[in-house]
Amino acid sequence: MYKGPFYCEQASNGDYTSNSCEVVVTEELKSIADSDIFVCVFDLNFSVGTITELIEAAHAKKRIVVFYKNESNDYDIKSEYWFAITRAKQICKKNNTKIEIFSYDDE
């Protein structure tokens, strides 16, 4: 199961595992390729890499589960990241792969 942050840019002691962007991206993409399920959470502690990883997982035809914190907007997906979530849905539909999307409140 792929449930990042994946190569973990920082180890539990706070040290960076690599200062090479190429190494980090390569390792994270390997993790996606080796996974059965990709899970991501869009919340206040969001990492911009999650958007790219989500789209990569969709193109890789992985089963995807997305959780997003409800936010106020005029779209049917109440997330600041509605565009990335919608694009992943479109890719999964085209690839005939499963994506599940869940919203949550802080309460």
Side-chain angles (χ1 to χ4, degrees):
M1 179 183 294
Y2 183 69
K3 57 179 184 175
F6 309 101
Y7 185 63
C8 297
E9 289 86 1
Q10 288 185 305
S12 59
N13 66 2
D15 292 341
Y16 282 92
T17 55
S18 176
N19 62 357
S20 167
C21 297
E22 292 292 329
V23 169
V24 172
V25 169
T26 298
E27 291 302 315
E28 291 182 2
L29 294 179
K30 276 192 226 174
S31 294
I32 293 171
D34 293 343
S35 70
D36 295 319
I37 300 172
F38 176 90
V39 179
C40 73
V41 179
F42 290 106
D43 63 8
L44 297 177
N45 298 314
F46 166 74
S47 168
V48 72
T50 304
I51 292 173
T52 304
E53 293 162 346
L54 172 62
I55 300 305
E56 179 72 20
H59 280 296
K61 301 180 180 180
K62 299 299 177 175
R63 180 176 173 203
I64 298 173
V65 180
V66 176
F67 296 94
Y68 68 87
K69 182 183 173 298
N70 277 319
E71 299 172 358
S72 179
N73 70 35
D74 293 332
Y75 296 104
D76 55 342
I77 296 176
K78 302 292 183 200
S79 170
E80 182 178 347
Y81 308 101
W82 60 266
F83 190 97
I85 295 167
T86 300
R87 183 62 185 135
K89 283 176 57 176
Q90 291 172 337
I91 294 165
C92 288
K93 182 177 181 180
K94 179 181 174 189
N95 291 339
N96 198 30
T97 54
K98 187 170 185 175
I99 184 169
E100 298 173 90
I101 301 168
F102 301 96
S103 63
Y104 66 91
D105 292 312
D106 282 337
E107 302 166 4

